[in-house]
Amino acid sequence: MSARHDAVRRAAAVFGIGGALLAIGGTMHPHETSGSMHESLLALIGSPAWLPAHAVLLAGMLTAVVGLVLLRRHDAFPAPVRPWLTGTIIAWTVATPEFVPHLLAGAEHDALEVGGATPMVDTHLALSTFTTPLVGLSAALLAVAVARAAATRPAQLLAVAGVVGGIAFAVAAPLLAVTGNPQVSNLFAAQTLIDVWIIGTSVRVALPEKVARR
């Protein structure tokens, strides 16, 4: 049991590091919602923080996925959580490649400014309408499943953050695509609540069982 708990703790640590990197990347991300959608996008991808922020976000997403896989491998959660955990692993794995054109879009600032070809920007905007809901909704569903299985106050409080953050993040890209209103991009900040759920859950799972139940 001690060896298994050590393995679970290591898996939880990897998951938590992924959440921390996502939180750091989110903090680094430039924020610009004034003017038109075109003007806002120009300001965003033209920011010197665009590349490093998305590099950290990509590293965080990859690390979080590895953490989820390890948590599943070591049966860190009760059996009823397993299907939701598997679904989240698949959803986040499918969504992660979108970070590549997302990151590379910063190199197309000049082309976007003059109306030239912007394949990375276009790919990012198109894919994000699918990948953002995948990440947000799967996180919300997994948070609920984990809280129900744990039946503890900490897990339930964390689930609130996971659900609110997950749903808000999920609708951000589709709503932005439909409305064209750059103010909608403020919803992407809800990722912070998903990060809180990731970090909090990793800490809770890593604690000894008697402490985690308090």
mmCIF file of all heavy atoms in Angstrom, residues 167-199:
data_model
loop_
_atom_site.group_PDB
_atom_site.id
_atom_site.type_symbol
_atom_site.label_atom_id
_atom_site.label_comp_id
_atom_site.label_asym_id
_atom_site.label_seq_id
_atom_site.Cartn_x
_atom_site.Cartn_y
_atom_site.Cartn_z
ATOM 1 N N ILE A 167 -17.135 25.368 -17.580
ATOM 2 C CA ILE A 167 -18.236 25.787 -18.455
ATOM 3 C C ILE A 167 -17.940 27.148 -19.087
ATOM 4 O O ILE A 167 -18.148 27.349 -20.294
ATOM 5 C CB ILE A 167 -19.554 25.829 -17.672
ATOM 6 C CG1 ILE A 167 -19.970 24.397 -17.287
ATOM 7 C CG2 ILE A 167 -20.659 26.497 -18.494
ATOM 8 C CD1 ILE A 167 -21.193 24.330 -16.402
ATOM 9 N N ALA A 168 -17.438 28.077 -18.286
ATOM 10 C CA ALA A 168 -17.124 29.409 -18.818
ATOM 11 C C ALA A 168 -16.035 29.331 -19.886
ATOM 12 O O ALA A 168 -16.122 29.983 -20.936
ATOM 13 C CB ALA A 168 -16.689 30.336 -17.684
ATOM 14 N N PHE A 169 -15.013 28.523 -19.628
ATOM 15 C CA PHE A 169 -13.932 28.358 -20.599
ATOM 16 C C PHE A 169 -14.445 27.669 -21.857
ATOM 17 O O PHE A 169 -14.040 28.009 -22.977
ATOM 18 C CB PHE A 169 -12.801 27.543 -19.968
ATOM 19 C CG PHE A 169 -11.576 27.429 -20.827
ATOM 20 C CD1 PHE A 169 -10.701 28.490 -20.967
ATOM 21 C CD2 PHE A 169 -11.281 26.242 -21.489
ATOM 22 C CE1 PHE A 169 -9.560 28.388 -21.753
ATOM 23 C CE2 PHE A 169 -10.147 26.122 -22.280
ATOM 24 C CZ PHE A 169 -9.287 27.198 -22.412
ATOM 25 N N ALA A 170 -15.349 26.704 -21.687
ATOM 26 C CA ALA A 170 -15.868 25.938 -22.822
ATOM 27 C C ALA A 170 -16.618 26.811 -23.817
ATOM 28 O O ALA A 170 -16.534 26.595 -25.034
ATOM 29 C CB ALA A 170 -16.773 24.817 -22.321
ATOM 30 N N VAL A 171 -17.362 27.791 -23.317
ATOM 31 C CA VAL A 171 -18.189 28.608 -24.219
ATOM 32 C C VAL A 171 -17.418 29.794 -24.798
ATOM 33 O O VAL A 171 -17.915 30.446 -25.723
ATOM 34 C CB VAL A 171 -19.453 29.129 -23.493
ATOM 35 C CG1 VAL A 171 -20.272 27.972 -22.949
ATOM 36 C CG2 VAL A 171 -19.098 30.111 -22.377
ATOM 37 N N ALA A 172 -16.216 30.062 -24.283
ATOM 38 C CA ALA A 172 -15.492 31.274 -24.680
ATOM 39 C C ALA A 172 -15.216 31.332 -26.178
ATOM 40 O O ALA A 172 -15.595 32.302 -26.851
ATOM 41 C CB ALA A 172 -14.188 31.377 -23.887
ATOM 42 N N ALA A 173 -14.544 30.326 -26.723
ATOM 43 C CA ALA A 173 -14.163 30.368 -28.139
ATOM 44 C C ALA A 173 -15.367 30.305 -29.074
ATOM 45 O O ALA A 173 -15.440 31.095 -30.035
ATOM 46 C CB ALA A 173 -13.177 29.246 -28.449
ATOM 47 N N PRO A 174 -16.339 29.398 -28.848
ATOM 48 C CA PRO A 174 -17.509 29.404 -29.733
ATOM 49 C C PRO A 174 -18.282 30.725 -29.694
ATOM 50 O O PRO A 174 -18.727 31.220 -30.741
ATOM 51 C CB PRO A 174 -18.362 28.255 -29.185
ATOM 52 C CG PRO A 174 -17.394 27.340 -28.517
ATOM 53 C CD PRO A 174 -16.376 28.255 -27.910
ATOM 54 N N LEU A 175 -18.428 31.288 -28.503
ATOM 55 C CA LEU A 175 -19.157 32.551 -28.373
ATOM 56 C C LEU A 175 -18.399 33.687 -29.045
ATOM 57 O O LEU A 175 -19.000 34.564 -29.677
ATOM 58 C CB LEU A 175 -19.376 32.863 -26.888
ATOM 59 C CG LEU A 175 -20.395 33.947 -26.546
ATOM 60 C CD1 LEU A 175 -21.758 33.610 -27.132
ATOM 61 C CD2 LEU A 175 -20.491 34.123 -25.036
ATOM 62 N N LEU A 176 -17.085 33.653 -28.943
ATOM 63 C CA LEU A 176 -16.259 34.665 -29.606
ATOM 64 C C LEU A 176 -16.402 34.562 -31.123
ATOM 65 O O LEU A 176 -16.499 35.572 -31.823
ATOM 66 C CB LEU A 176 -14.796 34.492 -29.197
ATOM 67 C CG LEU A 176 -13.794 35.516 -29.741
ATOM 68 C CD1 LEU A 176 -14.132 36.917 -29.235
ATOM 69 C CD2 LEU A 176 -12.373 35.139 -29.326
ATOM 70 N N ALA A 177 -16.422 33.338 -31.622
ATOM 71 C CA ALA A 177 -16.554 33.123 -33.062
ATOM 72 C C ALA A 177 -17.912 33.601 -33.571
ATOM 73 O O ALA A 177 -18.022 34.160 -34.667
ATOM 74 C CB ALA A 177 -16.361 31.647 -33.395
ATOM 75 N N VAL A 178 -18.953 33.410 -32.774
ATOM 76 C CA VAL A 178 -20.305 33.777 -33.181
ATOM 77 C C VAL A 178 -20.530 35.282 -33.102
ATOM 78 O O VAL A 178 -21.107 35.888 -34.015
ATOM 79 C CB VAL A 178 -21.355 33.046 -32.310
ATOM 80 C CG1 VAL A 178 -22.751 33.607 -32.561
ATOM 81 C CG2 VAL A 178 -21.330 31.553 -32.600
ATOM 82 N N THR A 179 -20.048 35.898 -32.028
ATOM 83 C CA THR A 179 -20.331 37.322 -31.803
ATOM 84 C C THR A 179 -19.291 38.251 -32.412
ATOM 85 O O THR A 179 -19.608 39.383 -32.778
ATOM 86 C CB THR A 179 -20.418 37.622 -30.295
ATOM 87 O OG1 THR A 179 -19.121 37.409 -29.687
ATOM 88 C CG2 THR A 179 -21.451 36.724 -29.620
ATOM 89 N N GLY A 180 -18.039 37.789 -32.491
ATOM 90 C CA GLY A 180 -16.974 38.665 -32.973
ATOM 91 C C GLY A 180 -16.665 39.793 -32.014
ATOM 92 O O GLY A 180 -15.993 40.767 -32.373
ATOM 93 N N ASN A 181 -17.140 39.667 -30.779
ATOM 94 C CA ASN A 181 -16.937 40.704 -29.766
ATOM 95 C C ASN A 181 -15.711 40.362 -28.923
ATOM 96 O O ASN A 181 -15.731 39.372 -28.191
ATOM 97 C CB ASN A 181 -18.168 40.802 -28.876
ATOM 98 C CG ASN A 181 -18.063 41.895 -27.838
ATOM 99 O OD1 ASN A 181 -17.023 42.537 -27.695
ATOM 100 N ND2 ASN A 181 -19.134 42.114 -27.091
ATOM 101 N N PRO A 182 -14.643 41.152 -29.015
ATOM 102 C CA PRO A 182 -13.423 40.818 -28.264
ATOM 103 C C PRO A 182 -13.613 40.785 -26.755
ATOM 104 O O PRO A 182 -12.829 40.163 -26.045
ATOM 105 C CB PRO A 182 -12.431 41.904 -28.684
ATOM 106 C CG PRO A 182 -13.265 43.022 -29.210
ATOM 107 C CD PRO A 182 -14.484 42.376 -29.806
ATOM 108 N N GLN A 183 -14.672 41.436 -26.239
ATOM 109 C CA GLN A 183 -14.932 41.414 -24.804
ATOM 110 C C GLN A 183 -15.217 39.991 -24.312
ATOM 111 O O GLN A 183 -14.966 39.661 -23.150
ATOM 112 C CB GLN A 183 -16.117 42.318 -24.471
ATOM 113 C CG GLN A 183 -15.878 43.798 -24.719
ATOM 114 C CD GLN A 183 -14.846 44.399 -23.763
ATOM 115 O OE1 GLN A 183 -14.701 43.924 -22.644
ATOM 116 N NE2 GLN A 183 -14.151 45.416 -24.213
ATOM 117 N N VAL A 184 -15.723 39.164 -25.207
ATOM 118 C CA VAL A 184 -16.035 37.778 -24.847
ATOM 119 C C VAL A 184 -14.767 37.019 -24.447
ATOM 120 O O VAL A 184 -14.827 36.068 -23.668
ATOM 121 C CB VAL A 184 -16.747 37.065 -26.018
ATOM 122 C CG1 VAL A 184 -16.938 35.578 -25.738
ATOM 123 C CG2 VAL A 184 -18.096 37.723 -26.280
ATOM 124 N N SER A 185 -13.629 37.453 -24.960
ATOM 125 C CA SER A 185 -12.379 36.758 -24.668
ATOM 126 C C SER A 185 -12.032 36.798 -23.179
ATOM 127 O O SER A 185 -11.171 36.040 -22.725
ATOM 128 C CB SER A 185 -11.224 37.339 -25.486
ATOM 129 O OG SER A 185 -10.998 38.698 -25.151
ATOM 130 N N ASN A 186 -12.706 37.663 -22.421
ATOM 131 C CA ASN A 186 -12.492 37.676 -20.970
ATOM 132 C C ASN A 186 -12.879 36.344 -20.334
ATOM 133 O O ASN A 186 -12.386 35.990 -19.259
ATOM 134 C CB ASN A 186 -13.297 38.804 -20.323
ATOM 135 C CG ASN A 186 -12.731 40.184 -20.629
ATOM 136 O OD1 ASN A 186 -11.520 40.377 -20.578
ATOM 137 N ND2 ASN A 186 -13.586 41.125 -20.958
ATOM 138 N N LEU A 187 -13.750 35.592 -21.005
ATOM 139 C CA LEU A 187 -14.163 34.295 -20.476
ATOM 140 C C LEU A 187 -13.017 33.288 -20.441
ATOM 141 O O LEU A 187 -13.056 32.330 -19.669
ATOM 142 C CB LEU A 187 -15.313 33.730 -21.315
ATOM 143 C CG LEU A 187 -16.668 34.403 -21.161
ATOM 144 C CD1 LEU A 187 -17.657 33.867 -22.190
ATOM 145 C CD2 LEU A 187 -17.206 34.192 -19.745
ATOM 146 N N PHE A 188 -11.991 33.503 -21.265
ATOM 147 C CA PHE A 188 -10.853 32.594 -21.257
ATOM 148 C C PHE A 188 -10.136 32.608 -19.904
ATOM 149 O O PHE A 188 -9.445 31.651 -19.555
ATOM 150 C CB PHE A 188 -9.859 32.948 -22.369
ATOM 151 C CG PHE A 188 -10.341 32.602 -23.744
ATOM 152 C CD1 PHE A 188 -10.659 33.599 -24.659
ATOM 153 C CD2 PHE A 188 -10.491 31.275 -24.131
ATOM 154 C CE1 PHE A 188 -11.104 33.281 -25.932
ATOM 155 C CE2 PHE A 188 -10.939 30.947 -25.400
ATOM 156 C CZ PHE A 188 -11.249 31.955 -26.308
ATOM 157 N N ALA A 189 -10.303 33.699 -19.169
ATOM 158 C CA ALA A 189 -9.679 33.796 -17.847
ATOM 159 C C ALA A 189 -10.238 32.760 -16.879
ATOM 160 O O ALA A 189 -9.629 32.483 -15.841
ATOM 161 C CB ALA A 189 -9.864 35.200 -17.274
ATOM 162 N N ALA A 190 -11.375 32.160 -17.229
ATOM 163 C CA ALA A 190 -11.957 31.113 -16.388
ATOM 164 C C ALA A 190 -11.053 29.892 -16.307
ATOM 165 O O ALA A 190 -11.251 29.029 -15.444
ATOM 166 C CB ALA A 190 -13.328 30.714 -16.912
ATOM 167 N N GLN A 191 -10.071 29.818 -17.194
ATOM 168 C CA GLN A 191 -9.080 28.745 -17.105
ATOM 169 C C GLN A 191 -8.449 28.706 -15.722
ATOM 170 O O GLN A 191 -8.069 27.641 -15.224
ATOM 171 C CB GLN A 191 -7.991 28.937 -18.160
ATOM 172 C CG GLN A 191 -6.856 27.914 -18.070
ATOM 173 C CD GLN A 191 -5.584 28.404 -18.729
ATOM 174 O OE1 GLN A 191 -5.628 28.861 -19.859
ATOM 175 N NE2 GLN A 191 -4.455 28.322 -18.028
ATOM 176 N N THR A 192 -8.337 29.874 -15.087
ATOM 177 C CA THR A 192 -7.747 29.947 -13.752
ATOM 178 C C THR A 192 -8.479 29.039 -12.765
ATOM 179 O O THR A 192 -7.851 28.397 -11.916
ATOM 180 C CB THR A 192 -7.773 31.397 -13.228
ATOM 181 O OG1 THR A 192 -7.071 32.237 -14.135
ATOM 182 C CG2 THR A 192 -7.125 31.486 -11.853
ATOM 183 N N LEU A 193 -9.800 28.965 -12.883
ATOM 184 C CA LEU A 193 -10.579 28.113 -11.980
ATOM 185 C C LEU A 193 -10.315 26.633 -12.258
ATOM 186 O O LEU A 193 -10.311 25.813 -11.333
ATOM 187 C CB LEU A 193 -12.064 28.426 -12.117
ATOM 188 C CG LEU A 193 -12.503 29.807 -11.628
ATOM 189 C CD1 LEU A 193 -13.981 30.044 -11.929
ATOM 190 C CD2 LEU A 193 -12.227 29.959 -10.143
ATOM 191 N N ILE A 194 -10.098 26.291 -13.522
ATOM 192 C CA ILE A 194 -9.713 24.909 -13.848
ATOM 193 C C ILE A 194 -8.354 24.605 -13.227
ATOM 194 O O ILE A 194 -8.142 23.523 -12.669
ATOM 195 C CB ILE A 194 -9.661 24.696 -15.373
ATOM 196 C CG1 ILE A 194 -11.031 24.970 -16.004
ATOM 197 C CG2 ILE A 194 -9.194 23.271 -15.695
ATOM 198 C CD1 ILE A 194 -11.034 24.870 -17.522
ATOM 199 N N ASP A 195 -7.444 25.559 -13.304
ATOM 200 C CA ASP A 195 -6.115 25.383 -12.716
ATOM 201 C C ASP A 195 -6.207 25.194 -11.205
ATOM 202 O O ASP A 195 -5.477 24.377 -10.627
ATOM 203 C CB ASP A 195 -5.222 26.582 -13.046
ATOM 204 C CG ASP A 195 -5.086 26.826 -14.541
ATOM 205 O OD1 ASP A 195 -5.265 25.853 -15.309
ATOM 206 O OD2 ASP A 195 -4.823 27.966 -14.932
ATOM 207 N N VAL A 196 -7.099 25.953 -10.579
ATOM 208 C CA VAL A 196 -7.320 25.805 -9.133
ATOM 209 C C VAL A 196 -7.790 24.387 -8.826
ATOM 210 O O VAL A 196 -7.325 23.754 -7.868
ATOM 211 C CB VAL A 196 -8.347 26.837 -8.623
ATOM 212 C CG1 VAL A 196 -8.804 26.504 -7.202
ATOM 213 C CG2 VAL A 196 -7.754 28.239 -8.662
ATOM 214 N N TRP A 197 -8.710 23.882 -9.657
ATOM 215 C CA TRP A 197 -9.198 22.517 -9.448
ATOM 216 C C TRP A 197 -8.066 21.502 -9.619
ATOM 217 O O TRP A 197 -7.926 20.573 -8.821
ATOM 218 C CB TRP A 197 -10.339 22.196 -10.419
ATOM 219 C CG TRP A 197 -10.781 20.770 -10.272
ATOM 220 C CD1 TRP A 197 -11.600 20.269 -9.298
ATOM 221 C CD2 TRP A 197 -10.378 19.665 -11.071
ATOM 222 N NE1 TRP A 197 -11.730 18.901 -9.453
ATOM 223 C CE2 TRP A 197 -10.990 18.512 -10.530
ATOM 224 C CE3 TRP A 197 -9.559 19.530 -12.192
ATOM 225 C CZ2 TRP A 197 -10.815 17.240 -11.086
ATOM 226 C CZ3 TRP A 197 -9.380 18.264 -12.755
ATOM 227 C CH2 TRP A 197 -10.009 17.147 -12.189
ATOM 228 N N ILE A 198 -7.249 21.679 -10.653
ATOM 229 C CA ILE A 198 -6.134 20.751 -10.895
ATOM 230 C C ILE A 198 -5.185 20.737 -9.706
ATOM 231 O O ILE A 198 -4.840 19.672 -9.165
ATOM 232 C CB ILE A 198 -5.368 21.142 -12.178
ATOM 233 C CG1 ILE A 198 -6.237 20.927 -13.412
ATOM 234 C CG2 ILE A 198 -4.075 20.324 -12.297
ATOM 235 C CD1 ILE A 198 -5.609 21.427 -14.704
ATOM 236 N N ILE A 199 -4.735 21.917 -9.288
ATOM 237 C CA ILE A 199 -3.757 22.007 -8.200
ATOM 238 C C ILE A 199 -4.368 21.506 -6.898
ATOM 239 O O ILE A 199 -3.745 20.732 -6.157
ATOM 240 C CB ILE A 199 -3.258 23.451 -8.058
ATOM 241 C CG1 ILE A 199 -2.502 23.878 -9.324
ATOM 242 C CG2 ILE A 199 -2.348 23.590 -6.828
ATOM 243 C CD1 ILE A 199 -2.186 25.358 -9.389
#
